[in-house]
Amino acid sequence: MKALLMYPERDFDLKEDLPRHASSVTQDLELDTLVNAMAGGDDFLLEVARKGIFSGQRADVATVLYRQAILRDCLKSPAVVRGLYDITLEMIEGRKKNYLGFFMHYPAGILSGSIGMLQMLVGLLKKLRAVADEQAGRFESPGFTTMLAMLQKEFSDEYFLTIQDHLKALKFNGGVLLSAALGPGNEGVDHVLRQENEGGASWLTRLLGKGPPAYTFRIADRDQAGAKALSELQDRGINLVANALAQSTDHIVSFFDMLRAELGFYVGCLNLHDRFASRDVPVCFPVPAPASTRCHRFSALRDACLVLSMEQAVTGNTVDAQGKNLVVITGANTGGKSTFLRSIGVAQMMMQCGMFVVAESFEANLCSGLFTHYKREEDATMRSGKFDEEIDRLSGLADVLTPDSMVLFNESFASTNEREGSEIARETTCALLERRIKVFFVTHQYEFAHGMFERNMQDALFLRAERQEDGTRTFRLNEGEPLATSYGEDLYRDVFERNAPQAEIGVVET
């Protein structure tokens, strides 16, 4: 039994390791804000959200569309989806109550525990079947229709009747019937559990027939050794049955665990959607394109993590980067460049794992891997400087980058002088473009940005953070040639001129 709510043909593996660069991407894109909003304080949903977001790193278009269709169903019937998830939580609580601990080391304990567990699971399976019967016609996605049809087929009324009959027989209310052969030293071997004849002999047969074809003996009430020997004999007979029932129980439990994880991802998406709806922020389902193409355009794209962490409204950006391999972002300090870059990365992650994005419209090609290279603070151990640390991280990226990956650079190589930093940025960017790696680069290095601009590359786009004449930042990015200034004097005025008398300020032009 498979839920198949994350992939069309395989299960969602929660034990799968995250990519080696996951921690850097999480830190640079502030993904913890996103996964915490999805989890809503639930540790299990937190793990599912994190693994689910990174599960799209190597997704194809078919898988993205498959998940989008399921998520659309979830958004249309959120109460039903949450109800299904709650049924899986009941299994977790029931498993705790039916755990026998020490006694699970003995066949009798295994059998007793498995019977209790299976009885509980049968009740939950009936609940799943009831939901499938009631809601099957309301879901349209291939994922949900297949799963609900599986529940109706596998858990039919006949299935439940058969299970109940087996459970009733396995309680051995009439005793345990065993057969055995004599081995060396007249020791019993080849113990086999036998099924009693249904109904037994008639009263006339029992009255006129011969005596029983077996000897009978009784154990005294205080004969502990005899009782122990009889218990061991019973365990030998029911061992295979106990193990078989335990395996069947584990199989159903694993199905519930898998269903819980896969439904948990969509419950997290519902939690996130509710957060955005409460902020009246537009969301849309992106249009994915194959990784081999170069497609990127959107309208009113916002940084999802910034929306979640700020009370005031967040400005959206509209960009058409169709056919572009390189996007260079320059402009005024505190103009929204880093926020824009983060919005690109977060939207790419959300799209590739089958989620909606925070925009009015969004279309982009998939990537074989999303990587980030952001500036860092000084090494706390003082073993290396910032520039050495940047080069080390770049070297690590080179080991894992593949064609059709995407790399987001945020003020990289600014820890050295303008000339050296620009040269390294240029060589790095050109090398990546030669390997068909898509690059977004936020930089204050005019020599690098303008040098790339003068190449007149058809597959490059240059954006500039907007600044009005009075120095006001609109936090919008427009297409434009890189400028030689980042308007650092605006920051100076904000810090000093608004907090000190004008007569005390002296500005020296250089």
Side-chain angles (χ1 to χ4, degrees):
M1 298 181 296
K2 295 181 179 293
L4 300 180
L5 293 179
M6 293 291 281
Y7 299 96
E9 298 177 350
R10 66 182 179 92
D11 297 335
F12 174 48
D13 186 7
L14 264 184
K15 297 180 180 179
E16 185 176 1
D17 293 333
L18 292 174
R20 56 186 289 186
H21 61 281
S23 59
S24 295
V25 173
T26 299
Q27 177 183 345
D28 294 335
L29 300 183
E30 300 182 11
L31 290 179
D32 282 340
T33 302
L34 192 72
V35 297
N36 284 328
M38 296 177 67
D42 187 294
D43 290 339
F44 178 77
L45 289 181
L46 184 71
E47 180 186 6
V48 169
R50 182 172 287 110
K51 293 291 182 67
I53 286 177
F54 278 96
S55 71
Q57 283 282 283
R58 297 188 179 275
D60 54 25
V61 173
T63 300
V64 172
L65 296 178
Y66 182 81
R67 293 188 187 180
Q68 284 186 2
I70 293 173
L71 184 51
R72 284 190 173 95
D73 272 343
C74 293
L75 293 173
K76 288 190 298 184
S77 304
V80 176
V81 175
R82 293 184 187 276
L84 287 170
Y85 181 73
D86 288 341
I87 292 175
T88 67
L89 296 183
E90 290 184 46
M91 186 277 296
I92 303 299
E93 294 301 318
R95 180 163 53 186
K96 295 177 182 178
K97 294 178 181 178
N98 284 277
Y99 180 68
L100 296 180
F102 173 79
F103 295 101
M104 294 300 287
H105 296 288
Y106 300 93
I110 294 173
L111 183 63
S112 176
S114 298
I115 290 174
M117 187 68 180
L118 196 55
Q119 286 178 326
M120 181 272 296
L121 291 174
V122 167
L124 297 181
L125 291 174
K126 288 181 178 180
K127 289 185 178 182
L128 290 179
R129 227 293 297 279
V131 174
D133 292 340
E134 182 180 352
Q135 304 292 337
R138 301 184 183 183
F139 288 84
E140 301 176 355
S141 65
F144 261 117
T145 53
T146 300
M147 186 192 76
L148 296 178
M150 180 273 294
L151 293 176
Q152 291 176 309
K153 177 182 177 181
E154 296 291 336
F155 305 126
S156 63
D157 293 338
E158 292 78 8
Y159 172 85
F160 290 126
L161 288 175
T162 301
I163 289 291
Q164 293 295 351
D165 289 342
H166 285 315
L167 290 179
K168 181 179 180 181
L170 289 172
K171 290 182 179 180
F172 300 116
N173 292 327
V176 177
L177 180 62
L178 303 177
S179 67
L182 290 177
N186 287 335
E187 184 178 356
V189 295
D190 299 331
H191 296 81
V192 178
L193 180 68
R194 300 294 181 178
Q195 184 176 6
E196 295 186 42
N197 294 326
E198 294 185 2
S202 66
W203 67 271
L204 185 61
T205 301
R206 294 196 301 271
L207 181 64
L208 301 178
K210 296 181 179 180
Y215 294 100
T216 301
F217 66 93
R218 298 181 181 277
I219 297 176
D221 293 340
R222 297 183 179 181
D223 186 357
Q224 296 182 356
K228 180 180 179 181
L230 188 61
S231 176
E232 292 175 352
L233 182 63
Q234 176 179 292
D235 283 347
R236 291 182 185 181
I238 67 174
N239 183 56
L240 292 177
V241 174
N243 288 335
L245 187 62
Q247 291 175 10
S248 298
T249 303
D250 289 342
H251 177 66
I252 298 177
V253 168
S254 66
F255 167 73
F256 273 97
D257 285 335
M258 175 180 58
L259 183 61
R260 179 192 179 200
E262 298 194 7
L263 283 173
F265 175 74
Y266 294 101
V267 170
C269 292
L270 292 176
N271 293 340
L272 188 62
H273 190 273
D274 291 344
R275 290 285 300 274
F276 290 137
S278 67
R279 300 292 306 277
D280 196 25
V281 176
V283 298
C284 70
F285 280 97
V287 179
S292 59
T293 63
R294 287 299 175 265
C295 169
H296 219 128
R297 58 184 171 190
F298 46 81
S299 61
L301 174 66
R302 294 166 172 82
D303 175 14
C305 298
L306 188 62
V307 170
L308 293 169
S309 58
M310 289 189 66
E311 293 297 330
Q312 59 265 41
V314 175
T315 302
N317 276 284
T318 299
V319 172
D320 188 343
Q322 293 290 87
K324 306 301 181 183
N325 277 307
L326 171 65
V327 179
V328 178
I329 303 108
T330 61
N333 283 302
T334 67
K337 302 186 298 299
S338 296
T339 299
F340 172 78
L341 187 68
R342 191 165 56 242
S343 72
I344 292 292
V346 174
Q348 189 75 24
M349 296 288 288
M350 295 176 72
M351 176 184 70
Q352 297 210 186
C353 70
M355 296 172 63
F356 44 77
V357 299
V358 186
E360 292 179 359
S361 65
F362 189 92
E363 179 182 358
N365 62 274
L366 303 178
C367 62
S368 60
L370 178 66
F371 303 87
T372 58
H373 190 275
Y374 279 41
K375 63 179 180 180
R376 294 277 193 267
E377 296 301 323
E378 194 79 35
D379 184 0
T381 64
M382 299 302 293
R383 294 180 179 177
S384 64
K386 294 175 66 174
F387 181 66
D388 290 338
E389 189 272 339
E390 284 189 286
I391 296 301
D392 286 342
R393 279 192 290 123
L394 182 62
S395 177
L397 286 180
D399 295 336
V400 294
L401 284 171
T402 58
D404 297 322
S405 295
M406 178 189 292
V407 185
L408 310 180
F409 290 96
N410 189 17
E411 298 189 28
S412 299
F413 318 119
S415 55
T416 185
N417 61 70
E418 166 81 12
R419 182 176 180 180
E420 185 179 43
S422 294
E423 181 61 21
I424 295 174
R426 182 191 64 80
E427 292 182 358
T428 299
T429 300
C430 291
L432 294 177
L433 295 178
E434 289 177 2
R435 292 291 307 275
R436 284 191 52 80
I437 294 172
K438 198 172 182 177
V439 176
F440 283 78
F441 210 125
V442 169
T443 182
H444 286 296
Q445 294 169 330
Y446 176 73
E447 185 175 337
F448 160 65
H450 199 266
M452 299 299 293
F453 179 81
E454 289 182 331
R455 291 175 174 235
N456 295 318
M457 302 164 60
Q458 296 300 312
D459 63 343
L461 176 67
F462 293 82
L463 301 176
R464 196 169 67 210
E466 187 177 71
R467 171 189 178 273
Q468 297 179 346
E469 293 183 1
D470 62 355
T472 301
R473 272 60 165 169
T474 64
F475 306 109
R476 290 189 174 87
L477 278 78
N478 301 313
E479 189 172 352
E481 179 180 354
L483 299 179
T485 177
S486 296
Y487 298 100
E489 66 271 17
D490 293 338
L491 299 180
Y492 179 88
R493 295 191 183 95
D494 286 341
V495 174
F496 294 102
E497 292 188 8
R498 296 181 183 180
N499 298 289
Q502 184 67 30
E504 300 179 6
I505 299 295
V507 179
V508 178
E509 295 289 344
T510 58

